[in-house]
Amino acid sequence: MTAPHVFWEHRVYTGEFHELSRVRSDLARDLDGFDPDLVDTLRLCLSELFANTLRYTDSGTAYGEVIRTLSMPDPATLRLSVSDSGGGGGVPRVPAERTRDEWDWSEGQRGLLLVENLSTNWGHFPLGPWGDLGTNVWAEFGLDPATVPAGLRPFVFTTD
């Protein structure tokens, strides 16, 4: 694996739903100068990943936290990821065992389906080879290198 072309400083959030507006605004600020439609797509996907993290893992408890990372592993790819505090006991996946009518009726569990359809690629990996230390869920989005803001440095410090 090669070093990222650009790497933004990690952002850490408490595992509380009221943080969602800050999570979304931080991402928009970090991606200032990028295509607004791309930023809106990433904000939507981040909202789903953040909510899933709080709903299905210990990140949604009083001691939980969520870490958001952002990088450009190459000039044509933007990678967004969310890491949780563990305790979910499951693996992120798009549920496949529903009929079409059940999907039409369902109100939930569409977040990863949305991420799958808006990203060019997505996946997950455990944060440690032992125990349930957490999971990192990532999604990649294609970029036109000509539309990337000029002057990005290899490491971008986030500002509040």
Side-chain angles (χ1 to χ4, degrees), residues 24-142:
R24 292 171 53 85
S25 64
D26 285 349
L27 181 67
R29 187 171 35 258
D30 291 344
L31 294 177
D32 186 39
F34 281 82
D35 175 54
D37 288 336
L38 174 68
V39 174
D40 285 346
T41 298
L42 266 78
R43 285 173 45 145
L44 179 59
C45 290
L46 177 59
S47 296
E48 293 297 334
L49 294 176
F50 186 83
N52 279 356
T53 295
L54 299 187
R55 186 172 295 123
Y56 299 114
T57 73
D58 286 347
S59 289
T61 66
Y63 303 106
E65 66 182 12
V66 178
I67 300 170
R68 189 222 67 200
T69 60
L70 187 63
S71 65
M72 288 176 58
D74 61 62
T77 305
L78 189 58
R79 177 181 265 212
L80 170 70
S81 70
V82 174
S83 297
D84 63 54
S85 300
V91 175
R93 66 183 183 85
V94 174
E97 63 277 354
R98 291 184 179 169
T99 66
R100 183 170 184 82
D101 289 340
E102 288 171 324
W103 271 110
D104 290 341
W105 177 81
S106 173
E107 290 295 322
Q109 297 184 348
R110 292 186 183 196
L112 289 178
L113 187 62
L114 182 111
V115 171
E116 180 177 272
N117 283 288
L118 292 176
S119 67
T120 55
N121 199 12
W122 78 279
H124 58 86
F125 57 86
L127 294 177
W130 57 92
D132 188 6
L133 300 178
T135 301
N136 177 279
V137 181
W138 55 268
E140 292 180 338
F141 303 84

Side-chain angles (χ1 to χ4, degrees), residues 13-30:
Y13 303 95
T14 61
E16 301 176 73
F17 278 102
H18 71 80
E19 289 271 71
L20 188 53
S21 63
R22 191 177 86 149
V23 168
R24 292 171 53 85
S25 64
D26 285 349
L27 181 67
R29 187 171 35 258
D30 291 344

